[in-house]
Amino acid sequence: MKYDLIDHNLFIKNRKNFAAAMQANSLAVFNSNDIYPVSADSTLPFEQHRDIFYLSGVDQEESVLVLFPDCPKTHLREVLFLRETNEHIAIWEGEKLTKDKAFETSGINTVYWLQDLEKVMAEMMALADTVYINTNEHYRASVETETREARFTKWLLQKYPAHSVAKSNPILQRLRSVKDQIELDLIKKACDITEKGFKRVLGFVKPGVWEYNIEAEYMHEFLNNRSKGFAYTPIVASGNNANVLHYIENNQQCKAGDLILMDVGAEYANYSSDMTRTIPVSGKFTDRQKAVYNAVLRVKSEATKLLVPGTLWAEYHVEVGKLMTSELLGLGLIDKADVQNENPDWPAYKKYFMHGTSHHMGLDTHDYGLLHEPMQANMVFTVEPGIYIPDEGFGIRLEDDVVVQASGEPFNLMRNIPIEVDEIEELMNC
């Protein structure tokens, strides 16, 4: 891995918290992701399943974690199964985790090679009443491929049909949404790398560059700072491309007078950052562009103040809608009649701001979190309002990542990334 070894006390604490939420005499199983084939002998780069990483720190394929906190055989209360490494694997693929290195990474003492899994699982399942399976129940998930986790679950339930079945996901949704300080430091590291990329781009952009040139500048900076690269597919959208919310082609030339909307973020140690900035290709905003930009910035500033413990996600978005409505009236994009006659299910402001303002962020860019439950301290949210005006040929979105505090306003992890109009223009023209 490019990143520094994470303190395994994080993973010990995470497992302890998960175990405390389990039913009596139950065990839970977590699998790594597959390595997905492309064609011939090509594969996609491996990405670890975030749940097994959260609970163990293991960032390796063909790994299985089993938790059985009530097991009468104490050495089987936490067990890792790993692909056995050898000299041949080390030469051709690189060294895999040894049992000693697995302990250093995870804090787990009991490590078996994967070929022992069925035998050891039979021993453990004979002592358990309930098995926790790990399903993906994120509100934005759309899974069409059968995962390694799903295949294992199918095998487990067929082999042990008499056990009661419970779900790990509701526990993980709560636990993962509230960050430990070590996690906050890792997210901050990802944000700091993103900052370096953005400042590099401010000195690079000029009329005639291509969107993919800008993407390459970010990647250069990210890799040079021990990141694998982008936390998600980057959006570098100049001109009217910014009005396509998930524009990812990044293949157009940037023209004088246009704006560029850049929704990019570095990952670090599997943790995400998520930033959006909109800058002028020529280094200076027009008066109209500046007016819309500052309207978005005001909404972002006021919306951020609403992210406090006890806030409900749905009510928060209603309040942000009121802020945006006021700004759109001031810009002349809607009028009072539009507001008076609006459809409550699709308010007038949605014509120019059609997406949500915030989502949980962490190990996943759209991270775990139960949206019907009140916000808590140490949750991390994006704040990303936007105004999109196809008729005027530009769209503006601004986005930072913030940590909910026990009291007071959230802590902005991206507070050092330039965002004010004057600061951006100065840095682009220095």
Side-chain angles (χ1 to χ4, degrees):
M1 300 302 121
K2 292 185 175 71
Y3 56 85
D4 291 321
L5 188 67
I6 300 169
D7 184 346
H8 69 205
N9 285 305
L10 170 64
F11 310 116
I12 292 171
K13 177 182 175 182
N14 291 347
R15 291 193 299 274
K16 181 179 178 181
N17 289 340
F18 185 90
M22 294 172 67
Q23 299 175 25
N25 209 40
S26 61
L27 66 77
V29 188
F30 303 90
N31 278 266
S32 61
N33 275 333
D34 282 314
I35 296 178
Y36 289 98
V38 177
S39 183
D41 62 346
S42 300
T43 61
L44 296 175
F46 175 68
E47 283 289 338
Q48 181 59 296
H49 194 301
R50 299 311 192 232
D51 291 336
I52 191 173
F53 183 83
Y54 175 79
L55 294 166
S56 71
V58 170
D59 203 350
Q60 181 174 296
E61 72 281 4
E62 296 185 82
S63 305
V64 182
L65 170 67
V66 184
L67 302 180
F68 189 178
D70 295 334
C71 187
K73 299 181 179 181
T74 55
H75 70 289
L76 296 180
R77 290 180 178 175
E78 294 183 340
V79 181
L80 269 176
F81 296 92
L82 302 175
R83 179 184 177 190
E84 184 174 4
T85 191
N86 56 44
E87 185 177 349
H88 176 79
I89 290 172
I91 291 171
W92 285 89
E93 300 179 27
E95 185 176 307
K96 303 296 180 182
L97 287 174
T98 63
K99 292 184 178 183
D100 288 341
K101 190 67 175 178
F103 170 75
E104 184 183 356
T105 299
S106 67
I108 295 174
N109 284 292
T110 304
V111 181
Y112 291 101
W113 300 130
L114 201 57
Q115 58 260 33
D116 295 323
L117 185 143
E118 289 198 34
K119 180 181 68 176
V120 178
M121 280 296 296
E123 183 180 359
M124 298 174 79
M125 290 292 281
L127 299 168
D129 298 322
T130 301
V131 57
Y132 278 81
I133 61 172
N134 194 28
T135 52
N136 186 350
E137 299 177 31
H138 190 274
Y139 67 100
R140 298 177 74 143
S142 177
V143 181
E144 297 182 4
T145 302
E146 186 177 49
T147 63
R148 183 180 181 87
E149 191 85 83
R151 292 196 309 275
F152 186 91
T153 296
K154 186 186 298 183
W155 169 82
L156 188 69
L157 298 184
Q158 287 175 346
K159 189 169 181 65
Y160 301 100
H163 283 71
S164 297
V165 178
K167 299 188 300 181
S168 296
N169 191 262
I171 301 174
L172 288 166
Q173 291 268 10
R174 287 190 175 87
L175 293 181
R176 278 184 48 184
S177 66
V178 180
K179 275 41 179 188
D180 181 90
Q181 185 58 50
I182 294 174
E183 293 184 284
L184 294 175
D185 292 343
L186 293 168
I187 297 170
K188 179 64 167 61
K189 176 73 171 178
C191 291
D192 290 346
I193 295 171
T194 301
E195 175 190 347
K196 292 179 180 180
F198 179 62
K199 288 180 176 177
R200 179 186 181 92
V201 162
L202 285 177
F204 171 79
V205 167
K206 60 182 181 296
V209 304
W210 293 73
E211 293 165 346
Y212 56 75
N213 297 145
I214 298 170
E215 181 179 345
E217 293 296 307
Y218 277 108
M219 180 60 91
H220 176 97
E221 202 67 32
F222 292 176
L223 290 177
N224 267 340
N225 285 276
R226 305 186 75 174
S227 165
K228 285 185 294 187
F230 293 100
Y232 51 92
T233 305
I235 297 169
V236 182
S238 61
N240 236 330
N241 295 332
N243 294 308
V244 180
L245 297 183
H246 291 116
Y247 172 83
I248 57 173
E249 283 79 5
N250 302 347
N251 62 2
Q252 298 299 304
Q253 194 169 32
C254 303
K255 300 174 182 177
D258 278 350
L259 299 180
I260 310 167
L261 186 157
M262 300 176 292
D263 190 334
V264 301
E267 72 80 48
Y268 181 77
N270 292 316
Y271 282 86
S272 294
S273 64
D274 191 355
M275 176 201 77
T276 307
R277 291 293 186 269
T278 307
I279 65 173
V281 174
S282 302
K284 188 171 180 62
F285 294 90
T286 67
D287 289 343
R288 176 60 170 175
Q289 290 167 348
K290 186 184 298 185
V292 177
Y293 186 101
N294 284 328
V296 174
L297 186 56
R298 285 191 294 270
V299 173
K300 189 181 85 69
S301 176
E302 293 304 311
T304 300
K305 298 174 185 177
L306 301 174
L307 295 172
V308 296
T311 296
L312 289 172
W313 190 79
E315 295 176 359
Y316 161 76
H317 279 94
V318 171
E319 293 304 311
V320 175
K322 295 176 183 177
L323 295 171
M324 183 58 77
T325 297
S326 176
E327 292 293 347
L328 292 176
L329 286 167
L331 291 168
L333 290 169
I334 59 175
D335 58 31
K336 291 183 179 179
D338 293 323
V339 178
Q340 291 168 353
N341 299 322
E342 70 184 9
N343 178 352
D345 295 328
W346 193 256
Y349 77 85
K350 287 286 190 181
K351 179 178 179 180
Y352 297 99
F353 174 40
M354 60 291 295
H355 57 78
T357 310
S358 296
H359 57 77
H360 288 86
M361 206 200 67
L363 275 171
D364 288 297
T365 304
H366 297 107
D367 206 19
Y368 282 0
L370 297 167
L371 299 183
H372 60 277
E373 295 190 356
M375 295 178 187
Q376 300 178 47
N378 284 3
M379 287 183 171
V380 179
F381 286 95
T382 63
V383 187
E384 50 181 306
I387 295 176
Y388 309 92
I389 319 175
D391 290 346
E392 298 184 34
F394 68 90
I396 294 172
R397 180 165 69 249
L398 301 171
E399 176 183 22
D400 284 335
D401 306 332
V402 303
V403 186
V404 177
Q405 303 294 290
S407 61
E409 293 183 20
F411 181 81
N412 187 351
L413 295 169
M414 293 182 160
R415 65 197 183 283
N416 295 326
I417 302 180
I419 197 168
E420 297 287 343
V421 164
D422 292 345
E423 188 178 14
I424 288 173
E425 289 183 342
E426 180 180 351
L427 288 169
M428 292 188 75
N429 292 284
C430 63

